[in-house]
Amino acid sequence: GCGKMTEWNDHAIEMVPYGTEYISGYSGNSPDGTNGLPQMSFAYMLGAVIKPPQIVKNGCHYIYAMVYITVARGVREVGDRRRYMKCDDPVIITRDPELIREIETWEECDIVEVYGELRSRLIKKTTYCSYCNTRNQIPGALVYINPLSCEKRCHQDSVSDCIQYLAKHREVSNQLLTFGTLCRDPSKRRTLDGLVYTQYQAVLERNPAGSVPPEPRPEFPWIRSYGSNAADDLRRLHIGSEVFIDGFLQARSINRHAVCG
């Protein structure tokens, strides 16, 4: 490679809490309260199919299915949604033959409901240098839903119709219940509009009591809290803190860069 830096726009999936319950390992700690909390991260989504589902078979046997869907956003972002519809997050991946048969019937601009387990893993993303066109691979994150159930709700005629439909159903979209362990300390940030928020990274899988979570890696989901939640999170949380989050998922555009070679 030529060693020059290339920048591009990417997309990231993140969690935004409605409310955060502090479980253990935080400032002003109280007895551990993990009993009765779900072992997995559950997510419910209402979205639109933006690419034809990818179905992989071996003869007549299903191997897996993968489909990309949108994330419903607020009315303020409707003007940007046509661009955001290209976003590759979140993605639905399943190996269940019954669910694959359902996904196989989906088409672009179908409005679908998905309920399942939120997961994340490390992947390699391919980029091309804008100076010498060298092919480079960099570590990336894939946050996806392993569905427990999924079904088609209706079909829209165009992307614009999908946008309008999703904007009207925000109250039932992208719900999330998850238990997480912080692997990156909270930091104070500001949006381009000057809105203050707190950002940190969390491991979805539980760690043995008292253990230190893994070092931050790209695949661990980001969490953004706002308002009073942001102030409390910044003051009370740190690496190793355990939290239970009731919130929603959203996708946002991010700027990334890499050195060629």
Side-chain angles (χ1 to χ4, degrees):
C2 63
K4 291 187 177 181
M5 183 177 295
T6 297
E7 294 187 358
W8 71 95
N9 289 326
D10 202 353
H11 292 86
I13 195 84
E14 61 190 10
M15 297 180 280
V16 179
Y18 294 128
T20 303
E21 182 179 348
Y22 302 128
I23 303 302
S24 67
Y26 59 91
S27 300
N29 194 6
S30 61
D32 177 67
T34 58
N35 291 335
L37 294 178
Q39 294 289 334
M40 299 187 297
S41 297
F42 292 105
Y44 167 83
M45 300 200 66
L46 177 70
V49 178
I50 55 175
K51 294 180 181 179
Q54 179 182 349
I55 310 295
V56 177
K57 291 183 177 181
N58 181 8
C60 60
H61 298 288
Y62 291 107
I63 305 300
Y64 73 89
M66 180 170 64
V67 58
Y68 295 97
I69 63 174
T70 63
V71 179
R73 295 174 172 84
V75 177
R76 289 185 305 171
E77 297 176 354
V78 166
D80 296 328
R81 286 195 185 208
R82 185 177 294 274
R83 175 168 59 88
Y84 286 154
M85 292 291 273
K86 299 176 183 178
C87 174
D88 283 349
D89 283 315
V91 60
I92 310 303
I93 300 176
T94 182
R95 295 180 180 273
D96 186 324
E98 293 298 323
L99 296 179
I100 295 176
R101 292 188 185 94
E102 166 64 25
I103 293 174
E104 196 172 25
T105 65
W106 294 356
E107 301 175 345
E108 289 184 66
C109 295
D110 280 348
I111 303 296
V112 297
E113 290 182 272
V114 180
Y115 171 74
E117 178 189 1
L118 186 69
R119 293 182 178 177
S120 61
R121 63 184 175 92
L122 189 66
I123 61 173
K124 287 185 178 181
K125 290 190 174 183
T126 300
T127 64
Y128 291 88
C129 178
S130 57
Y131 298 94
C132 66
N133 204 36
T134 298
R135 180 176 180 268
N136 294 286
Q137 286 193 326
I138 60 171
L142 177 64
V143 178
Y144 67 99
I145 295 178
N146 177 37
L148 301 176
S149 66
C150 57
E151 63 179 346
K152 175 181 173 181
R153 177 180 283 196
C154 63
H155 178 78
Q156 301 297 308
D157 295 327
S158 66
V159 169
S160 297
D161 291 339
C162 288
I163 291 170
Q164 295 175 16
Y165 185 97
L166 295 175
K168 294 177 181 178
H169 292 78
R170 186 184 181 191
E171 71 281 358
V172 296
S173 302
N174 313 329
Q175 295 174 344
L176 172 74
L177 290 174
T178 186
F179 181 97
T181 304
L182 270 68
C183 59
R184 189 186 296 271
D185 283 328
S187 60
K188 185 178 180 180
R189 306 288 182 90
R190 287 182 182 272
T191 65
L192 295 177
D193 298 330
L195 184 64
V196 176
Y197 65 92
T198 294
Q199 179 172 281
Y200 54 94
Q201 216 173 352
V203 182
L204 297 181
E205 294 78 16
R206 291 191 184 182
N207 293 279
S211 68
V212 178
E215 292 293 327
R217 299 198 301 265
E219 76 271 24
F220 295 145
W222 288 95
I223 300 172
R224 276 189 172 195
S225 56
Y226 296 86
S228 58
N229 280 343
D232 289 342
D233 289 349
L234 188 65
R235 185 179 71 255
R236 306 184 72 178
L237 298 180
H238 50 79
I239 291 178
S241 298
E242 295 181 324
V243 295
F244 181 68
I245 294 172
D246 177 6
F248 66 94
L249 296 174
Q250 69 176 12
R252 64 183 176 91
S253 179
I254 58 174
N255 180 262
R256 298 195 66 183
H257 61 272
V259 176
C260 179

